[in-house]
């Protein structure tokens, strides 16, 4: 199983950067997780659009879905030209309802609601979900190929679900949207980098990757905070691939 970082900023891209988007590949299976600003361009450096098997959206905030509207144009034009003849399966929370409805575009996307009960399988890859803590409905994702497991938190504040969900994962990727100095209260929408390290240590994961960076942070500060609690932490790097 391989993870490629297509975007790692939030809630807006840094200069030359891109918002949340991740490609998970297992054999011939290609899963796109989130599709924020700039992701579609980076995706095509790795695979063709038509090679996607499914799209999974952790939640429906714009920095995770904005390129879905551009992807719509790509699919429609390719269909008009006779270069594409399929509808793409999209798995996403149904809230906010207006965003879910906006993505539900006939003959382009086939929408499927995400719940904690949903179990998916693509080839040997099994995908499951766990609800996180965010201002809108958001789900963490686990992808398991039978021998290795990858877990991604999506956007979340501190909650015990992510610890239980990621227990013993081979690779855990967490939302490091805050530094501790900027956590003004317990009512924040993102994890601090320090909390990411704590979660990785408590869940006894093998490896931690940090993502969803505020574009104006010094990345060395983010990494330093996480490594206070979990040494085997690293920063996600745009267009880098990680073998799981």
């Amino acid at each position: 199983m391989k993870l490629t970082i297509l975007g790692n900023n939030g809630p807006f891209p840094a200069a030359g950067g891109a918002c949340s988007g991740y490609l998970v590949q297992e054999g011939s299976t290609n899963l796109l997780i989130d599709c924020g600003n700039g992701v579609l361009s980076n995706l095509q450096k790795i695979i063709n659009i038509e090679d996607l098997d499914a799209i999974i959206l952790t939640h429906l905030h714009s920095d995770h879905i904005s390129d879905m509207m551009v992807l719509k144009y790509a699919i429609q034009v390719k269909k008009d030209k006779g270069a594409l003849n399929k509808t793409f399966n999209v798995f996403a929370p149904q809230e906010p309802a207006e965003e879910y409805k906006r993505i539900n575009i006939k003959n382009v996307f086939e929408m499927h609601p995400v719940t904690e009960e949903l179990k998916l399988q693509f080839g040997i890859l099994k995908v499951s979900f766990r609800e996180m803590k965010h201002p809108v409905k958001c789900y963490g994702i686990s992808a398991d190929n039978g021998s290795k497991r990858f877990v991604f938190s999506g956007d979340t504040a501190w909650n015990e679900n992510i610890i239980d969900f990621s227990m013993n994962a081979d690779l855990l990727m967490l939302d490091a949207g805050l530094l501790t100095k900027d956590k003004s209260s317990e009512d924040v929408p993102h994890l601090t980098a320090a909390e990411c390290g704590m979660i990785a240590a408590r869940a006894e994961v093998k490896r931690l990757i940090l993502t969803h960076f505020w574009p104006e942070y010094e990345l060395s500060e983010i990494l330093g905070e996480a490594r206070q609690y979990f040494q085997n932490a690293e920063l996600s790097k745009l267009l880098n691939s990680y073998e799981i």
Side-chain angles (χ1 to χ4, degrees), residues 20-130:
S20 294
Y22 311 94
L23 180 65
V24 173
Q25 296 174 288
E26 173 58 56
S28 61
T29 297
N30 297 299
L31 300 182
L32 176 60
I33 300 176
D34 288 341
C35 193
N37 173 267
V39 167
L40 185 57
S41 173
N42 287 333
L43 173 72
Q44 293 173 93
K45 296 174 184 176
I46 313 298
I47 63 170
N48 295 321
I49 290 169
E50 44 267 45
D51 293 331
L52 278 175
D53 292 285
I55 301 163
I56 300 173
L57 303 176
T58 59
H59 66 293
L60 302 183
H61 274 158
S62 293
D63 55 331
H64 293 252
I65 67 169
S66 61
D67 265 14
M68 291 294 288
M69 295 300 105
V70 184
L71 178 56
K72 174 194 75 167
Y73 290 137
I75 293 168
Q76 288 173 330
V77 171
K78 281 174 174 284
K79 283 191 168 189
D80 289 344
K81 291 177 176 290
L84 182 61
N85 184 29
K86 74 173 185 179
T87 301
F88 289 74
N89 286 311
V90 178
F91 301 88
Q94 286 184 292
E95 303 171 24
E98 62 274 14
E99 293 291 350
Y100 189 86
K101 182 179 179 181
R102 188 164 67 99
I103 298 169
N104 191 9
I105 302 162
K106 187 177 180 181
N107 298 324
V108 175
F109 301 130
E110 184 74 30
M111 300 297 293
H112 307 274
V114 168
T115 66
E116 286 197 342
E117 292 70 39
L118 181 66
K119 308 292 183 187
L120 304 175
Q121 185 153 359
F122 304 93
I124 64 170
L125 198 61
K126 295 180 179 180
V127 178
S128 58
F129 302 87
R130 184 70 63 88

Side-chain angles (χ1 to χ4, degrees), residues 45 82 89 95 121 142 171-172 183 203 218 228:
K45 296 174 184 176
N89 286 311
E95 303 171 24
Q121 185 153 359
S142 169
L171 179 63
L172 173 62
K183 185 175 179 178
E218 287 292 333
Q228 289 176 25

Side-chain angles (χ1 to χ4, degrees), residues 151-152 162 166 169-174 199-200 205 207-209:
V151 176
F152 172 42
I162 188 58
S166 60
D170 295 279
L171 179 63
L172 173 62
M173 185 167 66
L174 292 177
I199 289 166
V205 305
R207 189 178 180 192
L208 170 65
I209 291 181

